[in-house]
Amino acid sequence: MSPSALPAARDRLRVAIQKSGRLSEPARALLASCGLSWRESRDRLFCYGESLPVDLLLVRDDDIPGLIADGVCDLGIVGRNVLAEHLLQRSNGGADKYREWRALGFGGCRLDIAVPDGWQWDGPAQLRDKRIATSYPALLGAWLREQGIAAEVVALSGSVEIAPRLGQADAICDLVSSGVTLAANQLKPVLTLLQSEAVLAGPATPFVDAREELAALLLRRLDGVLRLKDSKLLLFQAQRQTVPALLKLLPDAEPPTMLQVDGGDTLALQALCHGAMTWQRLEDLKHAGARGLMVLPVERMLA
Ligand code: PRT
Ligand code: ZN
């Protein structure tokens, strides 16, 4: 490659998120909680990063993997289902250029095979020689091959769930979250091909310019936010001899800070807990000797 053909060094990071849809608001909210803010453009396709040199590109979710592979965007927030489908589709051209960096804990759903309610399901072999409608032909095709099942994949771009009623297919392979859509179309889920959620996707190799440091900063903040999502700070007092039993009730807690109160056997404890702090748990702790229990939200943490 001649020096003039080298890609220009970039000192701003470009993150692609869904313009409008299920992932757009939570993706923005997550990035905002990492301290990012933007100036909106009039066409709302590009938002200039103000607090940090991290810009947003607002696009269709299906375009995000390709934009990263082609270097138009550096990072993207997209469903694992979309990323996995594109990775398989591009397996001979660009798939090795990007990968999942982090699971983000929202947009959860499953890619399921669903069959008409009336079928007596007795296993994947029942799909042999059947027509299966899907918007995920690469994922379904790969799974069928893996199972050694010869079936016809009917690729549709939308309204997959009505395909059996229209006579276009015998079964479907589609995203499911609550399952209400399947039920409304007299279908039942029988197999899960993929557990999905929104993920941060990025290049498989490090950046060679200032973007590397920016990406590392963003990841550090993201990890802090994700780690604290369900975390609470638990404060209470207890007699020294009850502490071992109390800590057994807190398997999801970081090692607590303990301070002696009044120079006696009473300790004040402070523990960061990562699981849900329900009333039942608090009552169990009280029963085991904890006093003055207090649960506080944790807003930010930097390890
Ligand atoms: O316009 P653009 O192409 O960007 O958006 P899109 O219409 O392709 O995507 P969108 O906004 O519908 O979904 C974006 C991402 O959200 C998906 O790629 C998944 O990663 C994730 N997600 C989470 C879902 C669902 N849950 C979901 N339930 N995507 C689609 N659905 C569909 C499902 O297939 C069913 O038809 O929503 C319907 C309702 O689901 P039930 O099971 O709750 O009835
Ligand atoms: Zn889409």
Side-chain angles (χ1 to χ4, degrees):
M1 195 188 282
S2 71
S4 59
L6 282 172
R10 296 223 314 254
D11 56 4
R12 298 187 70 84
L13 208 56
R14 202 175 289 159
V15 185
I17 65 168
Q18 199 185 15
K19 182 174 190 294
S20 62
R22 284 188 169 78
L23 306 184
S24 50
E25 278 317 308
R28 248 174 193 259
L30 180 66
L31 294 172
S33 64
C34 292
L36 303 188
S37 61
W38 307 273
R39 196 163 63 217
E40 304 282 335
S41 67
R42 293 238 327 262
D43 60 4
R44 283 206 71 229
L45 292 178
F46 182 85
C47 305
Y48 185 83
E50 288 192 318
S51 53
L52 278 176
V54 180
D55 306 320
L56 288 187
L57 199 65
L58 308 180
V59 295
R60 289 203 56 188
D61 65 346
D62 317 76
D63 295 335
I64 292 177
L67 289 170
I68 301 173
D70 296 342
V72 177
C73 280
D74 304 310
L75 305 175
I77 292 182
V78 63
R80 180 180 293 135
N81 47 301
V82 172
L83 195 66
E85 178 72 12
H86 279 253
L87 279 168
L88 285 175
Q89 283 179 2
R90 290 180 74 124
S91 54
N92 292 321
D96 54 344
K97 291 189 178 155
Y98 58 93
R99 62 177 175 80
E100 178 176 326
W101 277 18
R102 290 291 187 280
L104 300 177
F106 62 89
C109 57
R110 316 181 307 264
L111 182 65
D112 277 1
I113 291 193
V115 300
D117 278 337
W119 282 28
Q120 178 95 38
W121 178 249
D122 52 29
Q126 216 174 334
L127 297 170
R128 191 153 289 133
D129 298 328
K130 297 286 192 288
R131 294 162 305 155
I132 311 172
T134 188
S135 307
Y136 295 87
L139 281 166
L140 175 60
W143 181 82
L144 288 168
R145 274 193 300 283
E146 213 179 274
Q147 301 287 316
I149 295 170
E152 186 189 338
V153 175
V154 180
L156 298 178
S157 56
S159 305
V160 169
E161 61 282 350
I162 57 168
R165 276 198 290 156
L166 296 179
Q168 285 174 297
D170 304 298
I172 69 164
C173 171
D174 199 10
L175 296 178
V176 180
S177 48
S178 67
V180 168
T181 305
L182 287 186
N185 287 283
Q186 292 95 49
L187 296 167
K188 59 179 179 189
V190 289
L191 282 168
T192 295
L193 269 51
L194 180 80
Q195 287 287 351
S196 186
E197 63 185 283
V199 303
L200 178 71
T205 50
F207 297 109
V208 292
D209 48 34
R211 288 174 294 171
E212 183 62 13
E213 212 172 300
L214 271 175
L217 173 94
L218 187 60
L219 275 186
R220 272 199 307 278
R221 290 190 183 182
L222 201 55
D223 287 341
V225 170
L226 294 175
R227 210 164 138 242
L228 288 185
K229 229 166 154 245
D230 293 317
S231 299
K232 298 277 182 273
L233 188 65
L234 182 67
L235 305 180
F236 59 95
Q237 291 198 356
Q239 294 300 301
R240 189 182 297 277
Q241 67 274 17
T242 64
V243 169
L246 285 166
L247 293 187
K248 279 210 183 104
L249 295 173
L250 296 169
D252 54 347
E254 307 265 332
T257 306
M258 298 193 234
L259 294 171
Q260 207 176 24
V261 179
D262 298 337
D265 262 349
T266 305
L267 300 178
L269 288 93
Q270 170 181 317
L272 182 66
C273 299
H274 295 295
M277 200 44 71
T278 59
W279 282 109
Q280 184 61 55
R281 284 189 83 184
L282 293 179
E283 280 150 13
D284 292 346
L285 288 164
K286 183 170 158 70
H287 189 68
R291 294 290 173 265
L293 281 152
M294 222 188 295
V295 182
L296 305 180
V298 184
E299 204 170 298
R300 264 175 221 152
M301 207 176 98
L302 200 59

